[in-house]
Amino acid sequence: MNGADWAAWEAVKAVTQSVARSRSTAFEVVRAFLLSDQLSLDTVKGNPGSFRPWDHQLRAPVLLSTADAVIERAPLPQFLHQTNVLDTLGVDAPETSCRL
């Protein structure tokens, strides 16, 4: 599976999980569930994924690896965010001009 395959799989999983858990196919209901703190996606082993409310980016851990082994999973314990561990990676809400 390459990056595009994984992104497509994760997108379909996010929408189907939102439809199933919200018990609705209405756009606004599904959208609200996708952006809520109730969404919990299987991303990379460990932290559940979700979407950032300010820029709608997927929060997911990053595997730091060599060609044949996973060395560590970021975010690292010594660099944790105050509200969501996965917001440690990337630009934080106060630092971005992106608003959706």
Side-chain angles (χ1 to χ4, degrees):
M1 184 181 287
N2 63 30
D5 296 333
W6 183 84
W9 177 83
E10 198 65 56
V12 170
K13 181 160 179 83
V15 171
T16 56
Q17 182 180 15
S18 296
V19 167
R21 293 190 60 201
S22 70
R23 297 180 182 207
S24 175
T25 57
F27 175 79
E28 288 302 324
V29 174
V30 173
R31 181 181 186 276
F33 191 89
L34 277 169
L35 299 176
S36 76
D37 58 359
Q38 295 176 312
L39 181 68
S40 177
L41 294 171
D42 298 330
T43 53
V44 180
K45 298 179 190 289
N47 303 82
S50 61
F51 292 100
R52 290 178 171 156
W54 65 89
D55 62 5
H56 301 172
Q57 289 182 342
L58 176 64
R59 294 175 173 126
V62 175
L63 298 180
L64 307 173
S65 62
T66 64
D68 60 353
V70 173
I71 306 302
E72 186 64 80
R73 187 186 57 160
L76 304 173
Q78 59 270 41
F79 299 101
L80 299 181
H81 192 269
Q82 62 273 22
T83 58
N84 187 310
V85 172
L86 295 177
D87 283 339
T88 303
L89 306 172
V91 179
D92 202 2
E95 302 161 348
T96 185
S97 60
C98 180
R99 298 283 183 251
L100 294 175

